[in-house]
Amino acid sequence: MQNKMVVSDIEREFIDLYKENRSMFEAKTSAPVNEVRKSGIRDFERLGIPGKKDENYKNTPLQPIFRNGYRKYIEQKMVEFNLANVFQCDIPTLDTHMVLLVNGFFDKKNGDFLKELPSGIIIGSLAAASHEYPELFEKHYGKYASHKDGLVALNSAFAQDGIFLYVPEGSVYKKPIQIVNLVMAKEDIMVQHRNLIIVEKNAEAGVIICDHAMTPYKFLTNSVTEIYTAENAFFDYVRVQNEHNNGVQFSHIFVNQEANSNMTSNIMTLHGGVVRNNVNVLLNGEGAENNSYGLYLVDRKQHVDNYIYIDHAKPNCISNQLYKGVLDDSATGAFNGRILVRKDSQKTHAFQANNNILLTDNAKINTKPQLEIYADDVKCSHGATVGQLDGEALFYMRSRGIPEKEARLIMMFAFAHEIIGNVKTEALLNRINDLVDKRLKGELSPCDNCAMKCY
Amino acid sequence: MNSMLSIKDLRASIEDKEILKGITLEVKEGEVHAIMGPNGSGKSTLASLVAGKELADVTGGSITYLGKNLFDLNPEERSKAGIFLGFQYPTEIPGVTMVNFLKTALNEHRKHKGLEPLSAKDFLKLLREKKDMVEIDSKLTNRSVNAGFSGGEKKKNEIFQMAMLEPKLAILDETDSGLDIDALKIVANGVNKLKRKDNATIIITHYQRLLDYIIPDYVHVLFDGRIVKSGGKELALKLEEKGYEWIRNQVNGN
Ligand SMILES: Nc1ncnc2c1ncn2[C@@H]1O[C@H](COP(=O)(O)OP(=O)(O)OP(=O)(O)O)[C@@H](O)[C@H]1O
Ligand SMILES: [Mg+2]
């Protein structure tokens, strides 16, 4: 990576802010986190915010976003709200354990900083856990999130809290754990939380993450999540991004999978102004399997950019990527699917597909597969489609009495279902079906969950 | 008998090529009409215009259905008014199950008639009844609409949908093509069972065989965008025997 010579005002502001608050940050978290923090600021100083020339951010220019001048939310303030009144994302028929992040900080309203669930699972605040379990942090924290991307380095520098989840060896937890991620403030703010998820050998667990913006201000979230799945572990990651048109999300997920582990991610973007999802998966042990699914339903001027990178570092691994999107109005999107099969990673199976429906002439999608294959005994495939709704199928339905609008919805829903159908928990599947159905009908307002109903 | 469908001097073009060159056809309640004619003569184009497909541009003439100008109705309204097209090439709709599709369609029809949606139980009962009637494989209704159906299964599925929706005017576009003998009888049987005094059927076919089972009141020959000959069922026999050469000669004045 090249040294960056010029530091912009925006970058300077971050660096200064870091220097001023460094001791506060360091008091919040333990040594292993603070070590990563140091390299974070160094790397950020060197890399800065990815610029126009950065190939990876070509489709999502960052500078104009940062120029908005968000206040950096670096000190937790108690936000008064009544959980039950304000927030209705809970999945009624679903028995989950729920934890809450408010503006990037663990919120005690819904439980202790650290809580032990049946079967020894530990869930709670990252800051608290860093003091309580330094050896786990020593081993895992900052080990998977690479600072190649200046935004990730920035998060490492500023990270103070987030969610910590530990699933001990052999423990099987069938109830999903729900992580609700709220941003709510009466001004434009930027938050940067950090999550660490460790699923030990032969363990099995799943999380549902719901992202919501609760007040109609401009929000910028730059979050990093590290996920480690040990041998034979099984982990299910479902994410529902449902912010509003003023919300910007940069979400960096780093997954390290050991031998025979199985991880599925399912990222559904229902609402958001600008959303960038980076999913980086390292298949680091033979027999590991990764499924990366994604769905994006965007309209108006929304922008969604998904960047998926699967590194087949060991032989005999399987990866499936399937991302699908429906883009309406002047919405724009990008999909970058990168697959790296290293020289000795024989018997790799790697599949990738990205399918898009553009509902208008103004909607746009950039889709780009990148395959780098250095082994010879591999099965790889990739394909991308961009199209409209099938006119013949629409006519067929209409000729049976189904109104055009309904027929279009049925088709979009069928298109989306290929992704939603991968959600394994039935109650959650029903809830997501319902959300997507409402979203497609235009009945899901981004502020559905907001008491202010301001839009 | 009341008039059901009245087509007058209908002209239509696809990409500036005139496909229908002045079609006049009168169908009354209780009648069965057969339309025959060589490939490319415009049979499917005519059928799709009645169903409301915007494939061909209408350049002249009119279609009146139960006294209404059909061009004022969109495809779904035509369906709810009782028009049914059995497609020559039924469309595959991956991801949309037959059950969901039929339930939505049926309930739209019911809504139009001011009826409540069918309960899940009643819907399944009806589904079973009609499935038995057209002897369609039970598993097909759990699959996506026509997706991966064999040619014959797709055709049977059209009749099944017709049985579910009980149209007033059914236009069956080569529903007999690709059917085995048994399936042909089942389809014919289905059509006959659904026949009432106040509905009508237009059968587009190349083979007189189907007309052994469904006896038409009229047989029309569509040739190069025009109905050049109409007659009784004996006309179908004559076509089977002699082909279209004699028609071509007559049209060309030889
Ligand atoms: N989408 C289209 N674009 C251009 N020409 C078309 C299109 N659809 C139909 N045609 C033309 O219109 C004419 C009539 O076609 P149509 O399908 O109505 O014939 P048909 O009588 O049903 O034939 P067949 O017996 O083969 O089913 C043909 O010459 C055909 O090529
Ligand atoms: Mg035809």
Side-chain angles (χ1 to χ4, degrees), chain A residues 25 33 46 58 64 100 112 118 130 138 142 146 186 188 222 228 258 312 325 344 390 420:
Chain A
F25 298 159
V33 176
R46 185 167 55 80
K58 196 175 68 182
L100 193 61
D112 298 336
S130 82
E138 197 68 62
S146 109
K186 296 208 164 80
D188 299 353
N222 181 45
Y228 171 84
E258 296 299 325
H312 279 264
D344 297 321
D390 178 2
I420 310 168

Side-chain angles (χ1 to χ4, degrees), chain A residues 384-450:
Chain A
T385 59
V386 179
Q388 283 88 38
L389 288 177
D390 178 2
E392 296 289 327
L394 280 177
F395 177 69
Y396 191 78
M397 283 194 264
R398 295 179 70 189
S399 79
R400 300 305 184 238
I402 301 173
E404 183 177 12
K405 204 169 154 225
E406 185 67 23
R408 294 176 76 88
L409 277 172
I410 290 174
M411 288 192 65
M412 286 193 271
F413 198 76
F415 177 82
H417 193 79
E418 207 186 336
I419 300 291
I420 310 168
N422 289 306
V423 172
K424 290 174 197 106
T425 315
E426 202 188 324
L428 178 60
L429 175 71
N430 293 339
R431 168 72 177 154
I432 291 176
N433 267 329
D434 191 45
L435 277 174
V436 168
D437 190 42
K438 273 194 178 153
R439 174 67 180 97
L440 290 171
K441 283 182 182 148
E443 290 167 5
L444 180 72
S445 94
C447 279
D448 242 8
N449 305 310
C450 172

Side-chain angles (χ1 to χ4, degrees), chain B residues 14-15 17 19 38-45 55 88 174 206:
Chain B
I14 299 177
E15 285 158 9
K17 186 182 157 218
I19 307 289
N39 296 131
S41 57
K43 302 180 296 295
S44 294
T45 306
L55 166 68
Q88 185 176 0
E174 296 198 26
H206 286 295

Side-chain angles (χ1 to χ4, degrees), chain A residues 241-253:
Chain A
Q241 297 175 317
N242 192 19
E243 295 198 340
H244 54 50
N245 292 349
N246 279 330
V248 178
Q249 271 232 15
F250 305 129
S251 159
H252 315 268
I253 300 170

Side-chain angles (χ1 to χ4, degrees), chain A residues 200-326:
Chain A
E200 296 286 21
K201 275 186 201 161
N202 304 316
E204 188 179 329
V207 295
I208 305 154
I209 300 171
C210 305
D211 298 301
H212 292 281
M214 309 290 291
T215 45
Y217 290 88
K218 290 185 177 160
F219 297 123
L220 169 57
T221 304
N222 181 45
S223 69
V224 171
T225 301
E226 292 180 284
I227 300 171
Y228 171 84
T229 58
E231 267 168 54
N232 240 356
F234 195 98
F235 186 59
D236 205 18
Y237 177 98
V238 178
R239 177 102 176 248
V240 181
Q241 297 175 317
N242 192 19
E243 295 198 340
H244 54 50
N245 292 349
N246 279 330
V248 178
Q249 271 232 15
F250 305 129
S251 159
H252 315 268
I253 300 170
F254 294 88
V255 181
N256 180 102
Q257 285 188 244
E258 296 299 325
N260 299 313
S261 66
N262 185 309
M263 145 112 188
T264 298
S265 68
N266 211 322
I267 301 180
M268 281 162 278
T269 312
L270 304 185
H271 264 298
V274 175
V275 177
R276 163 69 177 236
N277 292 310
N278 290 326
V279 180
N280 299 276
V281 178
L282 175 66
L283 296 171
N284 201 31
E286 284 199 42
E289 177 180 334
N290 178 275
N291 303 299
S292 290
Y293 303 120
L295 173 69
Y296 39 100
L297 307 174
V298 283
D299 57 13
R300 286 174 274 189
K301 286 188 156 58
Q302 300 174 357
H303 176 77
V304 177
D305 182 352
N306 287 301
Y307 179 93
I308 318 302
Y309 176 30
I310 314 280
D311 182 351
H312 279 264
K314 291 282 150 64
N316 269 313
C317 292
I318 298 173
S319 71
N320 292 301
Q321 289 176 54
L322 177 61
Y323 270 70
K324 298 181 88 171
V326 181

Side-chain angles (χ1 to χ4, degrees), chain B residues 81-132:
Chain B
I83 293 177
F84 179 92
L85 171 62
F87 285 64
Q88 185 176 0
Y89 305 108
T91 313
E92 302 198 2
I93 317 179
V96 178
T97 62
M98 277 299 299
V99 169
N100 195 13
F101 167 71
L102 284 171
K103 198 193 285 169
T104 312
L106 194 71
N107 283 335
E108 287 295 338
H109 280 247
R110 290 179 65 88
K111 191 159 86 189
H112 180 76
K113 292 180 192 134
L115 298 170
E116 290 289 307
L118 273 186
S119 71
K121 189 166 149 267
D122 289 343
F123 174 74
L124 287 176
K125 191 168 154 246
L126 184 69
L127 201 70
R128 206 168 320 118
E129 226 175 85
K130 303 294 182 178
K131 264 201 288 208
D132 288 348

